[in-house]
Amino acid sequence: MANKSLVKTPIPELLPDERIASFSEVALGYTPEQAKEEADRCLSCKKSPCVAGCPVGVQIPEFITKIQEGDIEGAADILKSKNLLPAICGRVCPQETQCEALCLRGKKGEPVGVGRLERFVADQTLDAPPPAKPPANGHKVAIVGSGPSGLTCAGELASKGYEVTIFEALHKAGGVLVYGIPEFRLPKSIVARELKTLEHLGVVIKTNSIVGRTLTVDELFAQGFEAVFIGSGAGLPSFLGIPGEAFNGVYSANEYLTRINLMKAYEKDSRTPVQRAKKVCVVGGGNVAMDAARCARRIGAEVTIVYRRTEKELPARLEEIHHAKEEGIVFKLLTNPLRIDADENGWVRNLRCQEMKLGEPDASGRARPIPVEGSEFDIETECVVMAIGNSPNPLISQTTRGLEVNRRGCLVLADEDKMLTTRAGVYAGGDAVTGAATVILAMGAGKTAACSIDEYIQGKQ
Ligand code: FAD
Ligand code: SF4
């Protein structure tokens, strides 16, 4: 019988006091009974508007119907036929602005918890037999970067029989999924399990290989790769350009999160140093800012998020904002940093700020923050983490002939429908093209590029 509840079935979670004492996962996932209860809220709408909100086209009502019927393996088959990384997406996708934003149940009450159901199905079938490796088709493709765009492109091509090699600059595969998003939101064991699918499909991942340093795109072609996909992300952090950003105790969110997550500075016996400040200010309002703030809280700090617009404009996922508040993080909204002050030894002691008010919308469509004259004030802090955005690293574009970039440093596409760059045989997608965006958009781009690469290579025959 359909479940008429106007609200989503709640997901079990660790209590805030338990959370801030560890890096354990916060949201614990549905039990089979809770998943069935939530699945029963789905109306299996004929036109299924939710599907149009999913960048990889998951057949949402079909997989939810299988949960209603108790056929979890059937649900997993439907889900995994479109999404290579469902346990990851179920945890980190901003469903509220994608599939769930279009869900008809959301017109009156809360939408169906599509993400929570996706996670449930994926978690229940993590140990399912891997897909069979298809016969080799004799063609080689190189992928640069092992983030969601590169992994998806690799998976799609490998399942068509291509010999795929991923070149990854870091010592671990996964991109932001391993170096940025913290363990308490996305356990690394889950990432490793989903990466296994690629291994079974025969994808080779060469870590510690920096394209543009270890070898160039031209050398990849010379080695017999017939096409190259660039999914190198947007790992170059931005700073505000205010005085004091070079003082001790100022981090980019990238560095701060990489130290804590990838290099496991949060573990007691870790040899990776990270400042264990008593007071930390995080500047920014996106997922990156929430992650940095919640990490700082877990390593013992009182944390303030400084954001220049209001709560309504915070770009982070709603769940992350909610969790950050529950964990005692203070939101200093309509506030903009002006200067960082330090003590006589060059260590941060203050963040000088100014109050803001909102004006007319700017080019991004969001209300423009305007400084309030005479409203300057100080926030006492020992550490400032800048989480105000990232852009693509210029290394590949600077070392590859024929690759154009725009003024934000993003790779320009000569054919957007095909994800083709300005150089023949070189495709690109994800944050390297869009600038910092989302996991599922990067995956959608990787998928489109894989189709185009297949057409390109088969067309050459
Ligand atoms: P990336 O994930 O950045 O992967 C790029 C990979 O390429 C990296 O592994 C990098 O080492 C490698 N690389 C770079 N240059 C080279 C080179 N020259 N040679 C070889 N390898 C190279 N999105 C969401 O949807 N939900 C979230 O909750 C969310 N939270 C986030 C939290 C943080 C802290 C951050 C930083 C981002 C978050 N995002 C989130 C955004 C999301 O993670 C990215 O949009 C997504 O990972 C982009 O995927 P990608 O494949 O384009 O690049
Ligand atoms: Fe189910 Fe909502 Fe999709 Fe309708 S729009 S099929 S209710 S998830």
Side-chain angles (χ1 to χ4, degrees):
M1 209 178 63
N3 175 353
K4 296 207 171 89
S5 169
L6 292 183
V7 292
K8 288 179 186 171
T9 310
I11 197 157
E13 286 177 352
L14 285 187
L15 295 172
D17 282 353
E18 294 169 327
R19 289 182 215 163
I20 57 170
S22 84
F23 272 68
S24 302
E25 190 171 21
V26 169
L28 300 175
Y30 281 151
T31 61
E33 294 72 29
Q34 289 166 329
K36 165 91 171 74
E37 190 182 319
E38 184 57 18
D40 283 342
R41 293 184 65 231
C42 177
L43 306 169
S44 302
C45 313
K46 257 204 182 126
K47 289 196 177 150
S48 42
C50 48
V51 178
C54 174
V56 296
V58 168
Q59 298 302 308
I60 293 167
E62 281 82 348
F63 100 77
I64 295 182
T65 303
K66 291 287 178 195
I67 307 176
Q68 291 168 348
E69 293 166 358
D71 177 4
I72 308 305
E73 278 170 21
D77 288 344
I78 296 170
L79 188 55
K80 291 178 185 175
S81 70
K82 297 281 183 182
N83 187 339
L84 180 75
L85 311 171
I88 293 170
C89 290
R91 286 170 166 81
V92 304
C93 273
Q95 289 94 5
E96 66 264 22
T97 56
Q98 296 179 330
C99 52
E100 293 183 17
L102 301 177
C103 171
L104 287 190
R105 288 294 307 245
K107 289 201 178 232
K108 199 173 160 202
E110 289 183 352
V112 174
V114 179
R116 294 174 180 186
L117 292 173
E118 183 177 29
R119 169 189 169 158
F120 168 77
V121 171
D123 284 1
Q124 294 285 312
T125 54
L126 271 176
D127 292 323
K133 190 175 160 190
N137 70 3
H139 299 285
K140 279 171 54 167
V141 178
I143 309 278
V144 184
S146 64
S149 66
L151 294 173
T152 306
C153 189
E156 293 284 323
L157 288 168
S159 56
K160 291 185 198 311
Y162 286 87
E163 188 185 323
V164 183
T165 307
I166 300 182
F167 296 87
E168 167 54 51
L170 294 174
H171 64 279
K172 241 193 192 150
V176 170
L177 306 175
V178 293
Y179 81 74
I181 303 181
E183 180 75 17
F184 55 82
R185 258 198 329 122
L186 178 60
K188 302 314 148 208
S189 57
I190 296 285
V191 180
R193 298 277 271 280
E194 294 213 317
L195 283 174
K196 278 256 172 250
T197 312
L198 289 183
E199 212 175 273
H200 289 298
L201 286 169
V203 173
V204 173
I205 304 184
K206 290 198 173 169
T207 51
N208 299 313
S209 303
I210 307 177
V211 173
R213 283 265 187 281
T214 321
L215 77 179
T216 62
V217 169
D218 288 299
E219 282 165 347
L220 290 174
F221 281 114
Q223 286 180 13
F225 291 101
E226 292 167 69
V228 176
F229 172 79
I230 301 177
S232 50
L236 192 68
S238 306
F239 284 85
L240 285 171
I242 57 174
E245 283 182 325
F247 285 135
N248 299 322
V250 181
Y251 290 83
S252 70
N254 257 30
E255 181 189 340
Y256 192 70
L257 288 169
T258 303
R259 282 174 183 272
I260 294 177
N261 298 317
L262 184 70
M263 306 309 292
K264 305 219 178 299
Y266 67 87
E267 288 178 349
K268 276 211 175 74
D269 51 356
S270 171
R271 288 162 65 188
T272 307
V274 73
Q275 190 189 359
R276 291 184 180 256
K278 289 206 177 66
K279 290 188 176 175
V280 173
C281 274
V282 176
V283 182
N287 288 320
V288 184
M290 299 304 139
D291 283 345
R294 295 174 69 200
C295 282
R297 186 84 184 105
R298 281 163 173 74
I299 58 170
E302 279 172 31
V303 186
T304 305
I305 286 185
V306 175
Y307 179 63
R308 61 192 186 140
R309 293 185 169 91
T310 69
E311 177 155 355
K312 204 163 97 215
E313 287 84 21
L314 281 170
R317 293 177 75 223
L318 289 180
E319 187 177 308
E320 311 318 328
I321 299 168
H322 170 71
H323 282 155
K325 284 185 180 169
E326 282 185 336
E327 290 162 17
I329 288 159
V330 174
F331 284 70
K332 199 84 190 110
L333 301 167
L334 286 170
T335 300
N336 199 35
L338 294 176
R339 187 182 79 216
I340 300 167
D341 296 323
D343 63 17
E344 61 282 7
N345 296 317
W347 284 95
V348 172
R349 64 174 164 78
N350 251 345
L351 183 64
R352 182 83 170 152
C353 295
Q354 182 170 36
E355 285 176 19
M356 310 295 276
K357 61 183 179 191
L358 289 187
E360 292 300 306
D362 62 14
S364 71
R366 291 178 304 168
R368 186 193 302 273
I370 303 169
V372 177
E373 289 306 319
S375 63
E376 292 81 1
F377 64 100
D378 289 328
I379 304 177
E380 201 186 306
T381 187
E382 296 153 25
C383 173
V384 177
V385 182
M386 292 292 179
I388 54 161
N390 283 320
S391 54
N393 189 306
L395 182 61
I396 297 177
S397 53
Q398 284 172 355
T399 54
T400 311
R401 263 180 307 113
L403 277 190
E404 270 180 42
V405 289
N406 63 20
R407 63 184 173 80
R408 292 190 301 139
C410 300
L411 289 168
V412 169
L413 297 180
D415 185 337
E416 287 190 10
D417 294 336
K418 294 195 184 316
M419 311 306 294
L420 174 66
T421 65
T422 47
R423 173 153 174 193
V426 181
Y427 295 76
D431 287 5
V433 169
T434 55
T438 63
V439 169
I440 197 70
L441 285 174
M443 290 178 67
K447 202 168 190 172
T448 307
C451 282
S452 309
I453 291 172
D454 181 41
E455 271 174 29
Y456 168 71
I457 292 178
Q458 299 308 325
K460 282 202 308 184
Q461 300 309 300

